[in-house]
Amino acid sequence: MPDTQTAFARQIHLGGASGRIYAFTLCPSLRHLPDSPGLFAYLAIPPDGIAPARALFFGRAECGLAATIPRHERFEPALRLGLNAYAVLPMGGLLDDVQDDLVAGTPTPLNLQRDALRDISELTDRHRRLTRRVAAE
């Protein structure tokens, strides 16, 4: 992964649906990740630095960002979409609320995919329960 730290600012501001702006720290490589819990964004930053960074996924790390980010299930799909930097927001609480705000304010391809798969799973489960109930009658 290229080291983009010299070409980009150390902070990136990402907005939530609430209108709140979150100041994330840009970490261009895995060796710069903190061990603290918090939120993270997988980013695709164009090499020219002219176009804005594209958020690919917003996630949370309850046990530590350095341990979670490279092992997260969305890491490899993000690589295929152009992942070349990480943004982190160390924080101890309200991870779900802030992540939900960010996803609602800046839809990302991998969060949308995760939500769609969850919806499909819920509908499939509901259909199975209904089918069993009808068969039992």
Side-chain angles (χ1 to χ4, degrees), residues 25 27 29-40 60-71 86-92 95:
T25 300
C27 297
S29 73
L30 293 173
R31 68 180 179 269
H32 293 100
L33 297 173
D35 286 328
S36 61
L39 296 173
F40 65 92
R60 64 182 174 278
E62 289 145 5
C63 296
L65 292 156
T68 301
I69 288 174
R71 292 174 183 85
Y86 316 93
V88 297
L89 180 62
M91 58 187 297
L95 296 176

Side-chain angles (χ1 to χ4, degrees), residues 4-87:
T4 57
Q5 187 170 5
T6 57
F8 302 99
R10 292 280 305 141
Q11 282 200 338
I12 186 167
H13 296 90
L14 302 168
S18 66
R20 185 165 177 203
I21 303 297
Y22 302 92
F24 281 73
T25 300
L26 186 62
C27 297
S29 73
L30 293 173
R31 68 180 179 269
H32 293 100
L33 297 173
D35 286 328
S36 61
L39 296 173
F40 65 92
Y42 291 145
L43 302 174
I45 299 177
D48 61 12
I50 296 171
R54 179 176 175 231
L56 304 171
F57 180 75
F58 289 112
R60 64 182 174 278
E62 289 145 5
C63 296
L65 292 156
T68 301
I69 288 174
R71 292 174 183 85
H72 195 278
E73 64 187 21
R74 295 292 182 229
F75 183 78
E76 286 186 37
L79 284 172
R80 289 191 291 274
L81 291 174
L83 169 65
N84 63 1
Y86 316 93

Side-chain angles (χ1 to χ4, degrees), residues 57-134:
F57 180 75
F58 289 112
R60 64 182 174 278
E62 289 145 5
C63 296
L65 292 156
T68 301
I69 288 174
R71 292 174 183 85
H72 195 278
E73 64 187 21
R74 295 292 182 229
F75 183 78
E76 286 186 37
L79 284 172
R80 289 191 291 274
L81 291 174
L83 169 65
N84 63 1
Y86 316 93
V88 297
L89 180 62
M91 58 187 297
L94 303 174
L95 296 176
D96 289 335
D97 294 341
V98 176
Q99 181 186 22
D100 290 345
D101 186 34
L102 285 163
V103 170
T106 308
T108 64
L110 295 174
N111 288 102
L112 293 172
Q113 180 186 49
R114 181 197 64 186
D115 294 345
L117 291 172
R118 185 179 56 227
D119 292 346
I120 289 168
S121 178
E122 288 174 10
L123 288 171
T124 301
D125 290 345
R126 189 178 312 152
H127 176 62
R128 285 183 186 139
R129 286 191 303 272
L130 179 61
T131 302
R132 285 186 209 133
R133 191 172 355 141
V134 169

